[in-house]
Amino acid sequence: MTYADGVLGKDSPTELARLRALEALCDPISKELITGLGLAPGWLCADVGAGAGSVSRWLAETASVVATDLDTRFLTPGERLTVLVHDVTTDPVPGGPFDLVHARFLLETLPDPEAAVGRLVQWLRPGGHLAVIGVDLTVSALTPHPELRAVTGALLEVFREQMGTEPTFGRRLPPLLAAHGLTDIRMAVHPLLVGDGGPGRG
């Protein structure tokens, strides 16, 4: 079993609702990060694992965008927005070189995330930006609610044991990116405590 066909896979009847919830939670983080990088007209951007496309559509208001995913049913092409069915682990570079590659909740779902990082780095033009947004479910285990701790523990087991993925992969990113020759590497943490009534409650 992999993430794509597991309990959080694309065939779930609640998939779009799940993607919309992630957008509501994380779009402000992605947009703040990308705006800080100096997003400008003339940029060519890749939104990898674009999901329901909120970041792709937002990027296309300013730049040209290639939105890729294994499941593109929730993505709509536009004037500056190209949609491609694409497997980041095996398929050729979908254009580029890119000024920006954005990947959110992608690397930790792959069986070999380190190899995927190497591929994404190769998509960048000299001076380009790789923006990665990830999730570390172990933080949710700090919730004071026993039932939510149990749910988090069960999810971690599903990710690790059944899907072969690593939900704490983001912790390894900074030295990995440095090893690939990237510079000006920055990392920001946005803790969300499940059960506190905040945006992580869903």
Side-chain angles (χ1 to χ4, degrees):
M1 180 189 295
T2 65
Y3 179 90
D5 56 16
V7 295
L8 298 178
K10 63 183 179 61
D11 294 327
S12 167
T14 60
E15 175 65 356
L16 181 57
R18 181 181 73 89
L19 293 173
R20 294 296 188 212
L22 287 175
E23 290 177 347
L25 184 65
C26 296
D27 276 9
I29 297 172
S30 289
K31 291 177 180 180
E32 180 181 6
L33 172 60
I34 294 170
T35 299
L37 296 175
L39 176 67
W43 276 28
L44 178 59
C45 307
D47 189 15
V48 189
S54 60
V55 172
S56 299
R57 292 189 298 273
W58 174 74
L59 287 170
E61 294 174 4
T62 302
S64 297
V65 184
V66 178
T68 75
D69 209 311
L70 291 174
D71 177 10
T72 60
R73 62 187 149 152
F74 304 127
L75 299 172
T76 303
E79 181 179 354
R80 289 193 293 264
L81 176 56
T82 301
V83 174
L84 294 176
V85 177
H86 183 273
D87 186 339
V88 68
T89 67
T90 58
D91 292 341
V93 180
F98 294 98
D99 299 277
L100 169 73
V101 174
H102 173 263
R104 188 167 73 190
F105 294 164
L106 171 71
L107 295 175
E108 56 267 63
T109 71
L110 301 176
D112 189 353
E114 293 191 3
V117 170
R119 292 172 66 87
L120 295 180
V121 169
Q122 293 174 6
W123 296 10
L124 295 172
R125 70 161 178 80
H129 307 280
L130 177 60
V132 176
I133 311 295
V135 60
D136 187 338
L137 288 175
T138 59
V139 176
S140 296
L142 299 175
T143 175
H145 306 284
E147 68 279 8
L148 292 176
R149 286 200 301 272
V151 169
T152 299
L155 274 175
L156 286 169
E157 182 177 356
V158 167
F159 271 78
R160 287 172 170 152
E161 302 301 325
Q162 297 184 31
M163 298 183 187
T165 60
E166 179 45 70
T168 62
F169 175 72
R171 302 180 188 187
R172 308 208 311 266
L173 261 179
L176 180 60
L177 294 175
H180 280 290
L182 271 65
T183 59
D184 194 18
I185 298 167
R186 308 174 192 178
M187 186 174 187
V189 178
H190 301 265
L192 295 169
L193 189 61
V194 176
D196 66 353
R201 65 187 181 276

